[in-house]
Amino acid sequence: MDLNNTTKTVLVTGGSRGIGAAISLELGTQKFNVIVNYNTKVDEANAIVDQIKKQGGNAIAIQANIAIPEESERLFREIETAYGQVDILVNNAGITRDKSFRKMQKTEWDEVINTNLSSAYNTSQLAIHKMIEQKYGRIINISSVIGQSGGFGQTNYAAAKAGLIGFSKSLALETAKYGITVNCICPGFIKTEMVAAMPTEVLASIVAKIPAASLGSPSDIAKGVAFLIDAPYITGQCLNINGGLYM
Ligand code: NAP
């Protein structure tokens, strides 16, 4: 199969808001078929699809909770009907349930691990076989600076994001010979609803520690994704996009 001449299909989990929306829009302008996955907010997902179509691109929105294996399977069945296989997988969907460890409930641990880490198992397991068969694939996992440095009140989130880094390196080792690259992006603090939910004084103290002296924008991360898609010799790496916060 000559993949150079075919339109590639990219799945962006949590592609409807924040960083995922910026990734969907960036790739939508680059002539990919874009699957905008979302969990609860259909209007946001449809708005991103409309914007991509207005710019002349191809996109569809598909609801699925990617923390649940059966929903991930349904997502891939719907993608297969619409476009065939997934050539590029961006594991972006994520949540926070911040709390100091001594107060953290098992449900808050499980919810974050399932949504932010086990989801990457679910989707990558469904994508990887066809990627190996066609000898082409890109998997880009959106980790976090918190997975590298730790974060106060974020044992669940840091464990999941650090887990994504180890997952990416191991899968990169196993699949490099098939023309597949697996990388992470580790964003610092990016202006989205996730960060807007933080107390103002906490956010101000974080910004004071960022050498670039400001939050990043979702499009900074989207450009990193586009770069990694176009980089066949980069695999098993973490691309830090954090304004110098962690070096
Ligand atoms: P956000 O604004 O809260 O958006 C989260 C997106 O994920 C939404 O599209 C949401 O869909 C989707 N989502 C959540 N749970 C899902 C599930 N179970 N199944 C499918 N989709 C789900 O978050 P963000 O700030 O853009 O963050 C995106 C990613 O970057 C996350 O993995 C986050 O951990 C990581 N990150 C963010 C920052 C930052 O500063 N913002 C920094 C480092 C890393 P619905 O709206 O439909 O629920």
Side-chain angles (χ1 to χ4, degrees):
M1 181 180 183
D2 181 6
L3 273 159
N4 291 324
N5 294 321
T6 56
T7 303
K8 294 188 180 69
T9 296
V10 53
L11 165 61
V12 185
T13 70
S16 57
R17 286 194 291 119
I19 291 172
I23 296 169
S24 298
L25 289 170
E26 173 76 27
L27 301 183
T29 62
Q30 296 195 13
K31 301 294 166 224
F32 293 104
N33 299 319
V34 182
I35 316 296
V36 180
N37 160 250
Y38 67 100
N39 187 25
T40 54
K41 299 191 172 163
V42 63
D43 290 346
E44 273 85 344
N46 285 337
I48 297 299
V49 167
D50 287 348
Q51 226 175 308
I52 292 171
K53 285 184 176 166
K54 266 188 206 135
Q55 292 165 357
N58 275 320
I60 54 170
I62 304 181
Q63 188 283 331
N65 179 349
I66 44 80
I68 300 174
E70 293 75 17
E71 292 210 18
S72 302
E73 284 165 17
R74 175 180 52 75
L75 168 65
F76 273 71
R77 279 199 302 275
E78 290 184 26
I79 295 171
E80 197 165 356
T81 305
Y83 292 125
Q85 79 285 350
V86 170
D87 304 303
I88 298 159
L89 169 62
V90 184
N91 286 313
N92 164 79
I95 57 168
T96 49
R97 296 289 181 267
D98 294 357
K99 203 169 271 181
S100 68
F101 183 69
R102 60 203 174 104
K103 292 189 191 146
M104 189 176 287
Q105 302 295 312
K106 182 66 163 53
T107 49
E108 291 158 336
W109 174 267
D110 287 342
E111 219 183 323
V112 169
I113 297 294
N114 290 340
T115 306
N116 296 9
L117 179 59
S118 301
S119 61
Y121 171 85
N122 297 338
T123 53
S124 304
Q125 188 59 249
L126 289 160
I128 202 75
H129 301 278
K130 288 197 173 147
M131 287 181 179
I132 289 172
E133 224 170 88
Q134 70 180 10
K135 295 203 162 35
Y136 174 89
R138 299 279 181 268
I139 299 180
I140 298 164
N141 295 315
I142 307 300
S143 177
S144 169
V145 66
I146 299 300
Q148 301 169 305
S149 66
F152 194 94
Q154 295 194 298
T155 49
N156 49 1
Y157 186 82
K161 293 300 186 180
L164 271 183
I165 296 173
F167 171 80
S168 303
K169 290 182 179 180
S170 303
L171 188 57
L173 275 175
E174 291 182 23
T175 58
K177 63 178 177 238
Y178 301 113
I180 298 168
T181 67
V182 187
N183 291 290
C184 276
I185 291 182
C186 293
F189 288 83
I190 309 298
K191 220 178 284 170
T192 69
E193 285 171 40
M194 185 179 273
V195 160
M198 293 169 74
T200 321
E201 63 284 4
V202 174
L203 200 52
S205 72
I206 288 168
V207 172
K209 288 184 199 138
I210 301 173
S214 64
L215 298 175
S217 83
S219 72
D220 293 324
I221 310 305
K223 286 181 190 129
V225 170
F227 167 74
L228 287 173
I229 289 173
D230 213 15
Y233 205 57
I234 299 179
T235 195
Q237 305 301 315
C238 290
L239 179 56
N240 297 331
I241 305 179
N242 61 24
L245 179 62
Y246 180 90
M247 299 184 188

